[in-house]
Amino acid sequence: MHQAHAHPTLTIFASDKGPGDAERSSIMSQAGSYLARRGARVLCLAERGTLPIPLITAVRAAGGDAAVVADASIVLPPALAGVPIEVISDRDQRLARIGGQTDAYIGLPGSLASASSLFAAWTAARQAGQARPVVLLNKNRAFEMMRGYAADVLSHGLKGYDRVIQFADSVEDVWIRASRMIEERERG
């Protein structure tokens, strides 16, 4: 079991490609710096050419630890030399690899592709008995529709849904909520 409360591994889903929040790169940078300074190890799923470069760059600049689990489309740019990357061609195996390493999933405002990847990873982990909490940064109301879905649908069909998924309004709140949820999960 991870020592989550001291140095958790957080799988962060983020993308700066496609339509969406114009501040995504700066949000990734802020999140990467903040979480690295708190001792979190950041793990990223990179697929279909989408790699959260600002996030990984910020983690490293803050002295943190970042790693990537990727499909074959991902090639790290020279600026990310030294970042561990594990290329796994099969998507189910990629998702299982991430599920086995993470303490919590974090969703940053991004594209539909990053939200879809987060949902796929969370679902695969739950099916494998590796349920992990999810915290979504709802900056600029990026996940407002999902917040409504959680309140209207999940609350009726998933007992204790608030221990599974929470919404944060700041990067600091992401850290507080993720840390608390990881600690609660470890206590059983």
Side-chain angles (χ1 to χ4, degrees), residues 40-110:
R41 175 179 181 255
V42 172
L43 183 60
C44 298
L45 176 65
E47 300 176 307
R48 300 178 300 273
T50 300
L51 176 68
I53 295 171
L55 173 72
I56 297 167
T57 301
V59 168
R60 293 182 64 205
D65 181 22
V68 177
V69 174
D71 67 14
S73 73
I74 303 299
V75 176
L76 295 181
L80 298 183
V83 172
I85 181 169
E86 185 175 359
V87 176
I88 302 172
S89 60
D90 181 76
R91 186 159 203 239
D92 291 339
Q93 290 176 359
R94 276 193 306 280
L95 297 177
R97 181 73 174 141
I98 283 182
Q101 293 185 54
T102 197
D103 292 302
Y105 297 107
I106 308 297
L108 300 181

Side-chain angles (χ1 to χ4, degrees), residues 154-167:
L154 285 182
S155 63
H156 299 289
L158 182 60
K159 185 177 178 181
Y161 84 99
D162 57 323
R163 290 188 311 264
V164 176
I165 185 168
Q166 292 190 4
F167 298 85

Side-chain angles (χ1 to χ4, degrees), residues 1-9 39 103 182 186:
M1 190 176 284
H2 302 284
Q3 292 185 356
H5 56 280
H7 299 286
T9 296
D103 292 302
I182 291 166
E186 285 188 344

Side-chain angles (χ1 to χ4, degrees), residues 119-138:
F119 181 74
W122 178 72
T123 301
R126 287 187 61 81
Q127 290 173 348
Q130 299 173 324
R132 301 292 185 262
V134 175
V135 180
L136 301 172
L137 177 58
N138 198 30

Side-chain angles (χ1 to χ4, degrees), residues 16 31 33-34 41 50 78 123 130 135 138 175 180-181 184:
D16 58 358
S33 294
Y34 188 86
R41 175 179 181 255
T50 300
T123 301
Q130 299 173 324
V135 180
N138 198 30
W175 172 253
R180 184 178 57 233
M181 291 169 74
E184 287 172 4

